[in-house]
Amino acid sequence: AQTVTQSQPEMSVQEAETVTLSCTYDTSESDYYLFWYKQPPSRQMILVIRQEAYKQQNATENRFSVNFQKAAKSFSLKISDSQLGDAAMYFCAPRAGANSKLTFGKGITLSVRP
Amino acid sequence: DAMVIQNPRYQVTQFGKPVTLSCSQTLNHNVMYWYQQKSSQAPKLLFHYYDKDFNNEADTPDNFQSRRPNTSFCFLDIRSPGLGDAAMYLCATSRGRVAGDEKLFFGSGTQLSVL
């Protein structure tokens, strides 16, 4: 089983600035995957970025990147050049190995100030 | 566009009156999931189907059941809704579950109110 902690319930960022959303997790598995999902006010959840634990290189998707610290079991999401459309709830979700379920954290509500 | 569709967007039911939420997908994915999400909380997995194989989470109340008559459709039945069942219900699909990095595709959800 895995657990995930998102300790910041809300964050705010100025448009065009950079923001980092924190996530820590715990798992006894050696092979696992980590995801960030975004849920905008329209409520359709979409995948932002994913990271394989065996890869040392941090994943990057355009303005979104992660800082994966395996030893510390930390998986933070960095959003660069924040846009108004980035305003949403962001969920960190580990998945330990094949055939296991995704475990969502409690989420962080991000607001973007124009 | 291929997608996951949930109907209705909003559903109101009465305490104790059975209600069914529906989900359809055009992605031809093998796996379909139902999540319950209460206000400002993490989505909680209720159960999932891998093809016709039903997998119930241990802590899912007996009041919740599901049907998957074919690949495209999946239903969530709440036999006797209580006030505590008011929530957003999210349907999701994935191509398979073998690969750990499998991506989930979500519908827009059905917001259930219980009066």
Side-chain angles (χ1 to χ4, degrees):
Chain A
Q2 57 263 11
T3 60
V4 56
T5 302
Q6 294 182 257
S7 57
Q8 308 153 303
E10 296 180 356
M11 289 198 73
S12 180
V13 63
Q14 188 75 37
E15 193 175 7
E17 297 295 310
T18 296
V19 64
T20 298
L21 311 182
S22 301
C23 173
T24 58
Y25 62 92
D26 193 17
T27 178
S28 57
E29 300 285 339
S30 58
D31 178 26
Y32 55 91
Y33 304 82
L34 298 157
F35 302 82
W36 277 98
Y37 277 85
K38 168 186 177 181
Q39 189 177 39
S42 66
R43 307 301 290 251
Q44 187 166 26
M45 188 111 60
I46 56 173
L47 178 68
V48 175
I49 198 165
R50 58 187 151 188
Q51 172 84 40
E52 292 92 339
Y54 65 86
K55 287 188 176 179
Q56 291 185 338
Q57 187 174 6
N58 288 324
T60 300
E61 288 285 342
N62 300 316
R63 297 184 295 107
F64 299 88
S65 62
V66 302
N67 183 7
F68 175 46
Q69 302 289 328
K70 191 171 184 178
K73 293 184 178 177
S74 169
F75 181 60
S76 59
L77 174 69
K78 186 171 83 170
I79 306 174
S80 303
D81 185 25
S82 297
Q83 300 175 1
L84 296 178
D86 294 334
M89 200 156 183
Y90 287 81
F91 293 95
C92 175
R95 183 176 188 176
N99 295 328
S100 68
K101 66 180 180 181
L102 210 58
T103 301
F104 287 94
K106 289 187 176 181
I108 300 171
T109 299
L110 177 69
S111 58
V112 181
R113 305 185 301 275
Chain B
D1 290 339
M3 58 178 62
V4 182
I5 302 164
Q6 290 187 247
N7 285 308
R9 183 72 175 89
Y10 300 93
Q11 176 74 56
V12 180
T13 191
Q14 291 179 335
F15 183 93
K17 184 175 181 180
V19 65
T20 294
L21 310 182
S22 68
C23 176
S24 64
Q25 55 125 342
T26 60
L27 298 160
N28 202 32
H29 282 175
N30 288 318
V31 193
M32 295 187 77
Y33 309 80
W34 279 105
Y35 285 86
Q36 179 193 62
Q37 185 181 21
K38 295 189 177 180
S39 181
S40 301
Q41 294 186 22
K44 178 181 177 297
L45 182 63
L46 296 173
F47 25 58
H48 75 276
Y49 272 95
Y50 182 79
D51 197 12
K52 295 181 181 180
D53 181 28
F54 177 70
N55 298 268
N56 198 30
E57 292 301 303
D59 56 355
T60 298
D62 293 339
N63 197 27
F64 291 85
Q65 295 182 337
S66 184
R67 296 171 284 134
R68 189 179 186 185
N70 53 51
T71 300
S72 301
F73 286 88
C74 195
F75 300 98
L76 170 61
D77 301 308
I78 308 175
R79 289 192 295 184
S80 181
L83 298 179
D85 297 328
M88 175 70 81
Y89 290 87
L90 300 171
C91 175
T93 72
S94 64
R95 190 177 46 193
R97 65 181 183 196
V98 175
D101 67 344
E102 196 65 57
K103 170 184 174 180
L104 264 62
F105 293 78
F106 284 85
S108 297
T110 294
Q111 182 68 51
L112 178 69
S113 299
V114 181
L115 303 179

